[in-house]
Amino acid sequence: VVVTAADGTTSKSYTITVTRLASAVTPTISGQPTSVGKTAGQSVTFSVTATASDSGTLSYQWKKGGTDISGATSSSYTINSTTTSDAGNYTVVVTNSINSTTASATSNAAVLTMSSAVTITTPSSGLSGSLNTAYSLTVSAAGGSGTKTFAATGSLPAGVTISSGGVISGTPTTAGDFDLTVTVTDANNATATTSSFRISIAKGVSSISLSVGTYTYTGTGLGPDSVTTSGSTGSVTYAYAGRGSTTYSSSSSKPTAVGTYTVTATLAADSNYASVSATSNFDIGKANQSSLTVTSTTGNFGTSLTLTSSGGTTSGSVTYATSTAGCTITSGVLTTTGAVTCVVTATMAGNDTYNSVSSSATNVVMGKARQSTLTLSLGTTSFFGCNTGYPCSVFNANSNTATYNVPS
């Protein structure tokens, strides 16, 4: 181009280069949005990756079912809390702008499949069980997608577990209250959790039985103190009390006196087993006295024999008895109608703590009676002559008499 000045003579040459501006190129989508399944309440994000070789400016418009989604103009689109109505086909139009020209590309459709919200029901019944007894509780869930799995948070009784299908079962080996929640997870990893609930396992039943013996007065405390137990490992205590006409206030000390009683044995509870008691009757009987022996075993007819004995314990009154003919005992004195052997039994009376005691049948021999002294009176002639038939030496020279015992 030649340019001439205003004077008409001056001029200058210029070269003008005209460059034609290129139109925008169609953007290339290298990362397509992907189809996904979601459960109501979950979030979902679709995204696209695109480039333009001419370094133009890219803009985005997300569509659902071909309709623009208001405000969805970035390379990704997020629904924070989905509902079942969000199901559908999602695409994005990517536009390249340059030199006042545009070119667009549309992504593949990403399909959003929706499932209804997963829900779980907090158990309100079947929450009680017993120690060492099979227990089962099913936690129910609904909605969600695919197979659902369950897990417990908190505490379960020992021996009890939760299955992936939501069944809490087993045989509890510990008693008490156990608080927990259960969470269900569906195939989309959507979750729902129960409110906290409590499973109560009752304590087991203990047993106790008393061993009752035969008790005889000794002056010391007597009574049952042996039991057979099952269940609780707690301590055993005993309470003794009078029964019937026997007065004895309830006490942990064994009674000492003769009488009728009850004993209550109590097995204390432990962490897993309840307390239990058992009551039995028992008696403390009178003791036997030491043996009694008749000590007066000989006498003579015609002479009363005061009977005596030794032994026994109470020092009580002693009575004597005989059933032998010709023998009579009155107030402890034996008399007979002749020389005879009397069979005598002595009995010492008992008291509040000892039984009466009797001797064995004892022979008391009552021999013949002795005659009175026989005195011979002799005349003088007989004395001097010693012709009486008796030895002269037996005579008293002064009185002409002699004493001679006549054989019985």
Side-chain angles (χ1 to χ4, degrees):
V1 175
V2 177
V3 178
T4 301
D7 60 8
T9 59
T10 304
S11 64
K12 189 173 182 178
S13 298
Y14 293 91
T15 299
I16 299 174
T17 302
V18 178
T19 301
R20 184 180 179 183
L21 296 177
S23 298
V25 299
T26 301
T28 299
I29 298 176
S30 58
Q32 298 284 346
T34 56
S35 297
V36 67
K38 290 293 180 178
T39 300
Q42 289 184 298
S43 66
V44 63
T45 297
F46 297 107
S47 62
V48 67
T49 302
T51 58
S53 60
D54 58 4
S55 301
T57 301
L58 299 181
S59 62
Y60 306 86
Q61 177 61 60
W62 289 90
K63 298 174 180 289
K64 177 189 176 188
T67 301
D68 289 354
I69 301 171
S70 176
T73 57
S74 65
S75 60
S76 64
Y77 171 59
T78 298
I79 304 172
N80 289 318
S81 181
T82 58
T83 66
T84 54
S85 64
D86 290 320
N89 297 332
Y90 290 80
T91 57
V92 60
V93 175
V94 182
T95 300
N96 179 28
S97 298
I98 192 170
N99 299 326
S100 300
T101 62
T102 61
S104 298
T106 300
S107 71
N108 296 337
V111 179
L112 175 60
T113 303
M114 291 298 302
S115 298
S116 60
V118 62
T119 60
I120 191 168
T121 302
T122 301
S124 59
S125 61
L127 300 177
S128 298
S130 298
L131 187 76
N132 295 328
T133 301
Y135 175 82
S136 182
L137 172 67
T138 299
V139 180
S140 299
S145 173
T147 300
K148 292 181 281 290
T149 58
F150 295 77
T153 301
S155 61
L156 281 170
V160 175
T161 59
I162 184 169
S163 72
S164 60
V167 178
I168 299 172
S169 63
T171 300
T173 57
T174 54
D177 294 326
F178 302 87
D179 296 323
L180 68 154
T181 60
V182 173
T183 298
V184 61
T185 303
D186 74 356
N188 291 330
N189 286 321
T191 61
T193 301
T194 65
S195 300
S196 179
F197 62 96
R198 173 173 291 178
I199 295 175
S200 297
I201 303 300
K203 289 185 175 184
V205 177
S206 300
S207 68
I208 185 171
S209 61
L210 278 156
S211 298
V212 179
T214 301
Y215 307 96
T216 301
Y217 173 81
T218 62
T220 60
L222 296 171
D225 58 3
S226 177
V227 293
T228 301
T229 65
S230 67
S232 174
T233 57
S235 61
V236 177
T237 56
Y238 299 87
Y240 303 90
R243 173 172 56 89
S245 60
T246 300
T247 300
Y248 188 76
S249 298
S250 181
S251 171
S252 59
S253 298
K254 296 177 182 178
T256 59
V258 172
T260 56
Y261 300 89
T262 62
V263 57
T264 298
T266 300
L267 174 62
D270 63 12
S271 59
N272 287 322
Y273 288 88
S275 175
V276 67
S277 296
T279 299
S280 292
N281 295 333
F282 71 98
D283 300 335
I284 298 178
K286 292 183 178 182
N288 292 325
Q289 297 189 55
S290 58
S291 60
L292 183 68
T293 302
V294 176
T295 54
S296 50
T297 57
T298 60
N300 294 101
F301 165 66
T303 302
S304 298
L305 176 63
T306 299
L307 297 170
T308 59
S309 60
S310 65
T313 303
T314 65
S315 300
S317 61
V318 179
T319 58
Y320 299 88
T322 182
S323 60
T324 304
C327 301
T328 302
I329 299 175
T330 304
S331 299
V333 177
L334 173 64
T335 58
T336 62
T337 57
V340 65
T341 296
C342 302
V343 179
V344 175
T345 300
T347 299
M348 179 176 285
N351 57 18
D352 290 342
T353 53
Y354 287 93
N355 295 310
S356 61
V357 61
S358 295
S359 69
S360 59
T362 303
N363 291 333
V364 178
V365 179
M366 298 297 285
K368 293 181 180 180
R370 292 183 176 275
Q371 297 189 46
S372 57
T373 302
L374 177 64
T375 302
L376 299 177
S377 297
L378 304 174
T380 302
T381 303
S382 298
F383 172 75
F384 290 108
C386 296
N387 59 356
T388 61
Y390 290 96
C392 294
S393 60
V394 304
F395 294 100
N396 188 312
N398 296 319
S399 62
N400 293 330
T401 61
T403 299
Y404 194 83
N405 290 326
V406 180
S408 60

